Amino acid sequence: MRSDVYVLDKLESDYRAIPAEAEKVARYNGLDKKSTMRLRLLAEEMICMLPQLLIYGKGSFRIENSGSDYELHLTVTACDSIGFDRDKVIGVSRSGKNAAAVGIIGKICDAVDILMSDSAKLTREDPYRFFMMGSTSMNPLADEMAWSLMSYKNSFHSEEEKQNKAEEWDELEKSVISNLADDVIVGVRGGNVNITVKKKF
């Protein structure tokens, strides 16, 4: 099943229809109350990404499911990916820093920024250590990279690792999307940003 597709073309758009669509999909598929609320919460978490993502261009949102496997898709088509200057956009803020880049949602948006700016190969040093911890390959032959929340979580494979990166681990444990989603995949292909949130009910 595929939900209605919502076109997102400006930051002032009314996004209330997105969580409502999640509830509609859940009811149509006979999900129980708890699962319905979780699907809605995941949709709401994706809305939090929109202010940072729609600076690239127009977007769309949809939900798909096959049986108990659900995917929430947020796609943004860049208006001019080549001419996009991330530092210039961030420079508009008073602090000159990316104010939206906090928490796990911020890391997901930062992963988009890194992939869009073609600087993924330069991110082995802080402040983008998280990206290399979650980086994965979309297409090894074409050298296309992606970022996975599950790969990022799995990089904390030992108690020692969790203690050494206590702040990052604490951030993961407190994150709604990290606790509810089975995975979040961030990929960029042909100037299109694709964020897929996966959940099996």
Side-chain angles (χ1 to χ4, degrees), residues 52 56 86 98 109-119:
Q52 192 165 347
Y56 291 109
R86 178 179 180 269
N98 190 348
C109 291
D110 261 357
V112 171
D113 288 343
I114 292 165
L115 289 165
M116 285 296 286
S117 63
D118 290 328
S119 61

Side-chain angles (χ1 to χ4, degrees), residues 13-115:
S13 296
D14 185 359
Y15 303 133
R16 287 177 295 181
I18 292 175
E21 182 65 19
E23 286 193 27
K24 181 176 148 186
V25 167
R27 283 194 303 271
Y28 180 84
N29 287 295
L31 291 181
D32 61 29
K33 189 174 181 180
K34 186 176 181 181
S35 298
T36 299
M37 183 53 65
R38 287 181 173 176
L39 191 64
R40 181 187 170 94
L41 282 170
L42 288 171
E44 289 174 351
E45 287 290 289
M46 294 187 87
I47 291 172
C48 296
M49 303 175 198
L50 292 176
Q52 192 165 347
L53 297 182
L54 291 182
I55 61 175
Y56 291 109
K58 294 185 178 182
S60 66
F61 173 87
R62 72 185 188 280
I63 300 173
E64 296 179 2
N65 81 290
S66 176
S68 60
D69 294 317
Y70 286 74
E71 291 185 352
L72 295 86
H73 294 270
L74 181 58
T75 302
V76 176
T77 302
C79 294
D80 184 7
S81 59
I82 296 172
F84 180 78
D85 187 339
R86 178 179 180 269
D87 294 330
K88 192 173 182 181
V89 172
I90 291 173
V92 172
S93 76
R94 289 185 185 184
S95 66
K97 295 180 181 178
N98 190 348
V102 293
I104 296 303
I105 293 294
K107 280 184 168 57
I108 293 168
C109 291
D110 261 357
V112 171
D113 288 343
I114 292 165
L115 289 165

Side-chain angles (χ1 to χ4, degrees), residues 157-174:
H157 47 76
S158 67
E159 285 303 318
E160 183 181 358
E161 189 77 13
K162 291 172 186 175
Q163 288 174 5
N164 290 340
K165 298 175 179 139
E167 187 176 334
E168 291 97 330
W169 180 249
D170 187 55
E171 193 176 66
L172 272 168
E173 287 196 310
K174 291 178 179 175

Side-chain angles (χ1 to χ4, degrees), residues 110-153:
D110 261 357
V112 171
D113 288 343
I114 292 165
L115 289 165
M116 285 296 286
S117 63
D118 290 328
S119 61
K121 294 173 185 170
L122 306 175
T123 59
R124 297 183 186 277
E125 304 294 332
D126 284 339
Y128 298 119
R129 177 180 60 180
F130 82 92
F131 182 84
M132 297 312 298
M133 290 168 68
S135 65
T136 181
S137 180
M138 287 174 69
N139 182 350
L141 297 176
D143 198 26
E144 292 178 345
M145 293 186 77
W147 186 86
S148 160
L149 179 60
M150 184 56 66
S151 293
Y152 176 66
K153 284 174 81 170

